[in-house]
Structure formats: structure tokens, C-alpha cells
Coordinates of all heavy atoms in Angstrom, one line a residue:
M1 N 32.9 -40.4 -37.0 CA 32.8 -41.0 -35.7 C 32.8 -39.9 -34.6 O 31.9 -40.0 -33.7 CB 34.1 -41.9 -35.5 CG 33.9 -42.9 -34.3 SD 32.6 -44.1 -34.6 CE 32.3 -44.6 -33.0
E2 N 33.6 -38.9 -34.7 CA 33.6 -37.8 -33.8 C 32.3 -37.2 -33.7 O 31.8 -36.9 -32.6 CB 34.6 -36.8 -34.2 CG 36.0 -37.2 -33.9 CD 36.3 -37.7 -32.5 OE1 36.0 -36.9 -31.6 OE2 36.8 -38.8 -32.3
F3 N 31.7 -37.0 -34.8 CA 30.4 -36.4 -34.9 C 29.3 -37.2 -34.0 O 28.6 -36.6 -33.2 CB 29.9 -36.3 -36.3 CG 28.5 -35.7 -36.5 CD1 28.3 -34.4 -36.5 CD2 27.4 -36.6 -36.7 CE1 27.0 -33.8 -36.6 CE2 26.2 -36.0 -36.8 CZ 25.9 -34.7 -36.8
W4 N 29.3 -38.5 -34.2 CA 28.4 -39.3 -33.5 C 28.6 -39.3 -32.0 O 27.8 -39.3 -31.2 CB 28.4 -40.7 -34.2 CG 27.3 -41.6 -33.6 CD1 27.4 -42.6 -32.7 CD2 25.9 -41.5 -33.9 NE1 26.2 -43.2 -32.4 CE2 25.3 -42.5 -33.1 CE3 25.1 -40.8 -34.7 CZ2 23.9 -42.8 -33.2 CZ3 23.7 -41.0 -34.8 CH2 23.1 -42.0 -34.1
K5 N 30.0 -39.4 -31.7 CA 30.4 -39.4 -30.3 C 30.0 -38.2 -29.6 O 29.6 -38.2 -28.5 CB 31.9 -39.6 -30.2 CG 32.4 -40.9 -30.4 CD 33.9 -41.0 -30.2 CE 34.6 -42.3 -30.4 NZ 36.0 -42.3 -30.5
K6 N 30.1 -37.0 -30.3 CA 29.8 -35.7 -29.7 C 28.3 -35.5 -29.7 O 27.9 -34.6 -28.9 CB 30.5 -34.6 -30.5 CG 32.0 -34.5 -30.3 CD 32.6 -33.4 -31.1 CE 34.0 -33.6 -31.4 NZ 34.4 -32.8 -32.6
M7 N 27.6 -36.1 -30.5 CA 26.2 -35.9 -30.6 C 25.6 -36.3 -29.2 O 25.8 -37.4 -28.7 CB 25.5 -36.7 -31.7 CG 24.2 -36.3 -32.0 SD 23.4 -37.4 -33.2 CE 23.9 -36.6 -34.7
P8 N 24.7 -35.4 -28.6 CA 24.1 -35.7 -27.4 C 23.1 -36.9 -27.5 O 22.6 -37.1 -28.6 CB 23.4 -34.4 -27.0 CG 23.2 -33.7 -28.3 CD 24.4 -34.0 -29.1
E9 N 22.9 -37.6 -26.5 CA 22.0 -38.7 -26.5 C 20.7 -38.5 -27.1 O 20.1 -39.3 -27.8 CB 21.9 -39.3 -25.1 CG 23.1 -40.1 -24.5 CD 23.6 -41.2 -25.5 OE1 22.7 -41.9 -26.0 OE2 24.8 -41.3 -25.8
H10 N 20.1 -37.3 -26.8 CA 18.8 -37.0 -27.3 C 18.8 -36.7 -28.8 O 17.9 -37.0 -29.5 CB 18.1 -35.8 -26.5 CG 18.7 -34.5 -26.8 ND1 19.7 -34.0 -25.9 CD2 18.5 -33.6 -27.7 CE1 20.1 -32.8 -26.4 NE2 19.4 -32.6 -27.5
G11 N 20.0 -36.3 -29.2 CA 20.2 -36.0 -30.7 C 20.3 -37.4 -31.4 O 19.6 -37.5 -32.5
K12 N 20.9 -38.3 -30.8 CA 21.0 -39.6 -31.5 C 19.7 -40.3 -31.5 O 19.3 -40.9 -32.5 CB 22.0 -40.5 -30.6 CG 23.4 -40.2 -30.7 CD 24.2 -41.2 -29.8 CE 25.6 -40.6 -29.7 NZ 26.4 -41.4 -28.7
K13 N 19.0 -40.1 -30.4 CA 17.6 -40.7 -30.3 C 16.7 -40.1 -31.3 O 15.9 -40.8 -32.0 CB 17.1 -40.4 -28.9 CG 15.8 -41.2 -28.5 CD 15.6 -41.1 -27.0 CE 14.4 -41.8 -26.5 NZ 13.1 -41.1 -26.8
G14 N 16.9 -38.8 -31.6 CA 16.1 -38.2 -32.6 C 16.3 -38.7 -34.0 O 15.4 -38.9 -34.8
V15 N 17.6 -39.0 -34.3 CA 18.0 -39.5 -35.6 C 17.5 -41.0 -35.7 O 16.8 -41.3 -36.7 CB 19.6 -39.6 -35.7 CG1 19.9 -40.4 -36.9 CG2 20.0 -38.1 -35.9
I16 N 17.6 -41.8 -34.6 CA 17.2 -43.1 -34.6 C 15.7 -43.3 -34.8 O 15.2 -44.2 -35.5 CB 17.7 -43.8 -33.3 CG1 19.3 -43.9 -33.4 CG2 17.1 -45.2 -33.1 CD1 19.9 -44.2 -32.0
E17 N 15.0 -42.3 -34.2 CA 13.5 -42.4 -34.2 C 12.9 -41.7 -35.4 O 11.6 -41.6 -35.5 CB 13.0 -41.9 -32.9 CG 13.3 -42.8 -31.8 CD 12.8 -42.3 -30.4 OE1 12.3 -41.2 -30.4 OE2 12.9 -43.1 -29.5
S18 N 13.7 -41.1 -36.3 CA 13.1 -40.4 -37.4 C 13.7 -40.9 -38.8 O 14.1 -40.1 -39.6 CB 13.4 -38.9 -37.3 OG 14.8 -38.6 -37.3
C19 N 13.7 -42.2 -38.9 CA 14.2 -42.8 -40.2 C 13.0 -43.1 -41.1 O 12.0 -43.6 -40.6 CB 15.0 -44.1 -39.9 SG 16.4 -43.8 -38.9
W20 N 13.1 -42.8 -42.3 CA 12.1 -43.0 -43.2 C 12.0 -44.4 -43.7 O 13.0 -44.9 -44.2 CB 12.2 -42.0 -44.4 CG 11.0 -42.3 -45.4 CD1 11.1 -43.0 -46.5 CD2 9.7 -41.7 -45.3 NE1 9.8 -42.9 -47.1 CE2 9.0 -42.1 -46.4 CE3 9.1 -40.9 -44.3 CZ2 7.6 -41.8 -46.6 CZ3 7.7 -40.6 -44.5 CH2 7.1 -41.0 -45.5
C21 N 10.9 -45.1 -43.6 CA 10.7 -46.4 -44.1 C 9.9 -46.3 -45.4 O 8.7 -45.9 -45.3 CB 10.1 -47.3 -43.1 SG 9.7 -49.0 -43.8
G22 N 10.4 -46.8 -46.5 CA 9.7 -46.7 -47.7 C 8.6 -47.7 -47.8 O 7.7 -47.6 -48.6
S23 N 8.6 -48.7 -46.9 CA 7.6 -49.7 -46.9 C 6.4 -49.2 -46.1 O 5.3 -49.3 -46.5 CB 8.1 -51.0 -46.3 OG 7.1 -52.0 -46.3
C24 N 6.7 -48.7 -44.9 CA 5.7 -48.2 -44.0 C 5.2 -46.8 -44.5 O 4.1 -46.3 -44.1 CB 6.2 -48.0 -42.6 SG 6.6 -49.6 -41.8
M25 N 6.0 -46.1 -45.3 CA 5.7 -44.8 -45.8 C 5.5 -43.8 -44.6 O 4.7 -42.9 -44.6 CB 4.4 -44.8 -46.7 CG 4.6 -45.6 -48.0 SD 5.9 -44.9 -49.0 CE 5.1 -43.4 -49.7
K26 N 6.4 -43.9 -43.7 CA 6.4 -43.0 -42.6 C 7.7 -43.0 -41.8 O 8.5 -44.0 -42.1 CB 5.2 -43.2 -41.6 CG 5.3 -44.6 -40.9 CD 4.3 -44.8 -39.9 CE 4.4 -46.0 -39.1 NZ 3.4 -46.3 -38.1
A27 N 7.9 -42.1 -40.9 CA 9.1 -42.2 -40.1 C 9.0 -43.2 -39.0 O 7.9 -43.3 -38.4 CB 9.3 -40.8 -39.4
V28 N 10.1 -44.0 -39.0 CA 10.0 -45.1 -38.0 C 11.3 -45.1 -37.2 O 12.3 -44.4 -37.5 CB 9.8 -46.5 -38.7 CG1 8.6 -46.5 -39.5 CG2 11.1 -46.7 -39.7
T29 N 11.4 -46.0 -36.3 CA 12.6 -46.2 -35.5 C 13.5 -47.3 -36.2 O 13.0 -48.3 -36.6 CB 12.3 -46.7 -34.1 OG1 11.5 -45.7 -33.4 CG2 13.6 -46.9 -33.2
I30 N 14.7 -47.0 -36.4 CA 15.7 -47.9 -37.0 C 16.2 -48.8 -35.9 O 16.5 -48.3 -34.8 CB 16.8 -47.2 -37.8 CG1 17.6 -48.1 -38.6 CG2 17.7 -46.4 -36.8 CD1 18.6 -47.4 -39.6
E31 N 16.4 -50.1 -36.2 CA 17.0 -50.9 -35.1 C 18.1 -51.9 -35.8 O 18.1 -52.0 -37.0 CB 15.9 -51.7 -34.4 CG 15.1 -52.7 -35.3 CD 14.1 -53.5 -34.5 OE1 13.9 -53.2 -33.3 OE2 13.6 -54.4 -35.0
N32 N 18.9 -52.4 -34.9 CA 20.0 -53.3 -35.4 C 20.8 -52.7 -36.5 O 21.2 -53.2 -37.4 CB 19.4 -54.6 -36.0 CG 18.7 -55.5 -34.8 OD1 19.1 -55.4 -33.7 ND2 17.7 -56.2 -35.3
F33 N 21.0 -51.3 -36.3 CA 21.7 -50.6 -37.2 C 23.2 -50.6 -37.0 O 23.7 -50.9 -35.9 CB 21.3 -49.1 -37.3 CG 21.5 -48.3 -36.1 CD1 22.7 -47.7 -35.9 CD2 20.5 -48.2 -35.1 CE1 23.0 -46.9 -34.8 CE2 20.7 -47.4 -34.0 CZ 21.9 -46.8 -33.8
T34 N 24.0 -50.4 -38.1 CA 25.4 -50.3 -38.1 C 25.8 -48.9 -38.6 O 25.0 -48.3 -39.4 CB 26.1 -51.3 -39.0 OG1 25.5 -51.3 -40.2 CG2 26.0 -52.7 -38.4
L35 N 26.8 -48.3 -38.1 CA 27.2 -46.9 -38.5 C 28.2 -47.1 -39.6 O 29.2 -47.8 -39.5 CB 27.8 -46.2 -37.3 CG 26.9 -45.9 -36.2 CD1 27.7 -45.4 -35.0 CD2 25.8 -45.0 -36.5
V36 N 28.0 -46.4 -40.7 CA 29.0 -46.4 -41.8 C 29.4 -44.9 -41.9 O 28.6 -44.0 -42.2 CB 28.3 -46.9 -43.1 CG1 29.3 -46.8 -44.2 CG2 27.8 -48.3 -42.9
F37 N 30.7 -44.7 -41.9 CA 31.2 -43.3 -42.0 C 31.8 -43.2 -43.5 O 32.7 -43.8 -43.8 CB 32.3 -43.1 -41.0 CG 31.8 -43.1 -39.6 CD1 31.8 -44.2 -38.8 CD2 31.2 -41.9 -39.1 CE1 31.2 -44.3 -37.6 CE2 30.6 -42.0 -37.8 CZ 30.6 -43.1 -37.1
K38 N 31.1 -42.3 -44.2 CA 31.4 -42.0 -45.5 C 31.6 -40.6 -45.6 O 30.6 -39.8 -45.8 CB 30.3 -42.5 -46.4 CG 30.7 -42.9 -47.8 CD 29.6 -43.6 -48.5 CE 30.0 -44.0 -49.9 NZ 28.9 -44.6 -50.7
K39 N 32.8 -40.1 -45.4 CA 33.0 -38.6 -45.3 C 32.4 -37.8 -46.4 O 32.5 -38.2 -47.5 CB 34.5 -38.4 -45.2 CG 35.1 -38.8 -43.9 CD 36.5 -38.3 -43.6 CE 36.9 -38.7 -42.3 NZ 37.9 -37.7 -41.7
P40 N 31.7 -36.7 -46.0 CA 31.6 -36.1 -44.7 C 30.3 -36.6 -44.0 O 30.0 -36.1 -43.0 CB 31.5 -34.6 -44.9 CG 30.7 -34.6 -46.2 CD 31.1 -35.8 -47.1
D41 N 29.7 -37.6 -44.5 CA 28.4 -38.0 -43.9 C 28.5 -39.3 -43.1 O 29.4 -40.1 -43.2 CB 27.4 -38.2 -45.1 CG 27.2 -37.0 -45.9 OD1 27.2 -35.9 -45.4 OD2 27.1 -37.2 -47.1
L42 N 27.5 -39.5 -42.3 CA 27.4 -40.7 -41.5 C 26.1 -41.4 -42.0 O 25.1 -40.7 -42.2 CB 27.2 -40.2 -40.0 CG 26.8 -41.3 -39.0 CD1 27.9 -42.4 -38.9 CD2 26.5 -40.7 -37.6
I43 N 26.2 -42.7 -42.1 CA 25.1 -43.4 -42.6 C 24.7 -44.5 -41.6 O 25.6 -45.2 -41.1 CB 25.4 -44.1 -44.0 CG1 25.7 -43.0 -45.0 CG2 24.3 -44.9 -44.4 CD1 26.4 -43.5 -46.3
L44 N 23.5 -44.6 -41.3 CA 22.9 -45.6 -40.4 C 22.3 -46.7 -41.3 O 21.3 -46.3 -42.0 CB 22.0 -45.1 -39.4 CG 22.5 -44.4 -38.1 CD1 23.1 -43.1 -38.5 CD2 21.4 -44.2 -37.2
Q45 N 22.8 -47.9 -41.3 CA 22.1 -48.9 -42.1 C 21.5 -49.9 -41.1 O 22.1 -50.5 -40.2 CB 23.1 -49.7 -42.9 CG 23.7 -48.8 -44.0 CD 24.7 -49.6 -44.9 OE1 25.4 -50.4 -44.4 NE2 24.8 -49.2 -46.1
G46 N 20.2 -50.1 -41.2 CA 19.5 -51.0 -40.3 C 18.1 -51.4 -40.8 O 17.9 -51.5 -42.0
F47 N 17.3 -51.7 -39.8 CA 16.0 -52.3 -40.2 C 14.9 -51.5 -39.5 O 15.0 -51.0 -38.4 CB 15.9 -53.7 -39.8 CG 17.0 -54.6 -40.5 CD1 18.2 -54.7 -39.8 CD2 16.8 -55.1 -41.7 CE1 19.2 -55.5 -40.4 CE2 17.8 -55.9 -42.3 CZ 19.0 -56.0 -41.7
C48 N 13.8 -51.5 -40.2 CA 12.6 -50.8 -39.6 C 12.1 -51.6 -38.5 O 11.9 -52.8 -38.6 CB 11.5 -50.7 -40.8 SG 10.0 -50.2 -40.2
K49 N 11.7 -50.9 -37.4 CA 11.3 -51.6 -36.2 C 9.9 -52.1 -36.4 O 9.5 -53.1 -35.8 CB 11.3 -50.6 -35.0 CG 11.1 -51.2 -33.7 CD 11.1 -50.1 -32.6 CE 10.9 -50.8 -31.2 NZ 10.9 -49.7 -30.1
V50 N 9.2 -51.5 -37.3 CA 7.8 -51.9 -37.5 C 7.6 -53.0 -38.5 O 7.0 -54.0 -38.1 CB 7.0 -50.7 -38.1 CG1 5.5 -51.0 -38.4 CG2 7.0 -49.4 -37.2
C51 N 8.3 -53.0 -39.6 CA 8.1 -54.0 -40.7 C 9.3 -54.8 -41.0 O 9.3 -55.8 -41.7 CB 7.5 -53.4 -41.9 SG 8.6 -52.4 -42.9
G52 N 10.5 -54.4 -40.5 CA 11.7 -55.1 -40.8 C 12.4 -54.8 -42.1 O 13.4 -55.4 -42.5
N53 N 11.8 -53.9 -42.8 CA 12.4 -53.4 -44.0 C 13.8 -52.9 -43.9 O 14.1 -52.3 -42.9 CB 11.4 -52.4 -44.7 CG 11.9 -52.0 -46.1 OD1 12.1 -52.9 -47.0 ND2 11.8 -50.7 -46.4
D54 N 14.7 -53.1 -44.8 CA 16.0 -52.5 -44.8 C 15.9 -50.9 -44.9 O 15.2 -50.5 -45.9 CB 16.9 -52.9 -46.0 CG 17.3 -54.4 -45.8 OD1 16.8 -55.0 -45.0 OD2 18.1 -54.8 -46.6
I55 N 16.5 -50.2 -44.0 CA 16.4 -48.8 -44.2 C 17.8 -48.2 -44.0 O 18.7 -48.7 -43.3 CB 15.4 -48.1 -43.4 CG1 15.5 -48.5 -41.9 CG2 13.9 -48.4 -43.9 CD1 14.4 -47.8 -41.0
V56 N 18.0 -47.0 -44.7 CA 19.3 -46.3 -44.5 C 18.9 -44.9 -44.2 O 18.0 -44.2 -44.7 CB 20.0 -46.3 -45.9 CG1 21.2 -45.5 -45.9 CG2 20.4 -47.8 -46.2
R57 N 19.7 -44.4 -43.1 CA 19.5 -43.0 -42.7 C 20.8 -42.3 -42.9 O 21.8 -42.7 -42.3 CB 19.0 -43.0 -41.2 CG 18.9 -41.6 -40.6 CD 17.7 -40.8 -41.2 NE 17.1 -39.9 -40.3 CZ 17.5 -38.7 -40.0 NH1 18.5 -38.2 -40.7 NH2 16.9 -38.0 -39.2
L58 N 20.7 -41.2 -43.6 CA 21.9 -40.4 -43.9 C 21.9 -39.2 -42.9 O 20.9 -38.5 -42.8 CB 22.0 -39.9 -45.3 CG 23.1 -39.0 -45.7 CD1 24.4 -39.8 -45.8 CD2 22.8 -38.3 -47.0
V59 N 23.0 -39.0 -42.2 CA 23.2 -37.8 -41.4 C 24.2 -37.0 -42.1 O 25.4 -37.4 -42.1 CB 23.6 -38.3 -39.9 CG1 23.8 -37.0 -39.1 CG2 22.7 -39.2 -39.3
E60 N 23.9 -35.9 -42.6 CA 24.8 -35.1 -43.4 C 25.8 -34.4 -42.6 O 25.6 -33.9 -41.4 CB 24.1 -34.1 -44.2 CG 23.3 -34.8 -45.4 CD 22.5 -33.7 -46.2 OE1 22.6 -32.5 -45.9 OE2 21.8 -34.2 -47.1
G61 N 27.0 -34.3 -43.1 CA 28.1 -33.5 -42.5 C 28.6 -34.0 -41.2 O 29.0 -33.3 -40.3
A62 N 28.7 -35.4 -41.0 CA 29.1 -36.0 -39.8 C 30.6 -35.7 -39.6 O 31.3 -35.7 -40.5 CB 28.8 -37.4 -39.7
Ligands
ZN101 ZN1 8.7 -50.2 -42.2

């Protein structure tokens, strides 16, 4: 949680906008995501903005 709190807004934006969608086969924006803290990592679980596919973005060492 601290990691995400401390992360600058543009850093968060970078993570949010660079999630891999296995359906679109490209980096997409994740939306309606929830944050899951699984030490030491942070996981964003949400949906692809383009196709609605479930996607998960791992941020290492959160
Ligand atoms: Zn997609």
C-alpha cells in the first residue's frame, strides 16, 4: 500500500496504461481495477479498456 501511495501520479498512470491484454495482444489501459497486495508485490486486477478481458498487472517489489 505504501508503495502505491508513494508512487507519483504519473507513475501510476504509466502502470495503468501499460497493462498487457492477452486478448488484444498489446499494452492497454486497465479499468475498474482493484489493488491486491501480495507481499512484496502489488497486483492490479481489472479489465481491458478495449475489449473487457480480465487482466492482471503485477508491480514487483511494492
Ligand atoms: Zn483487450
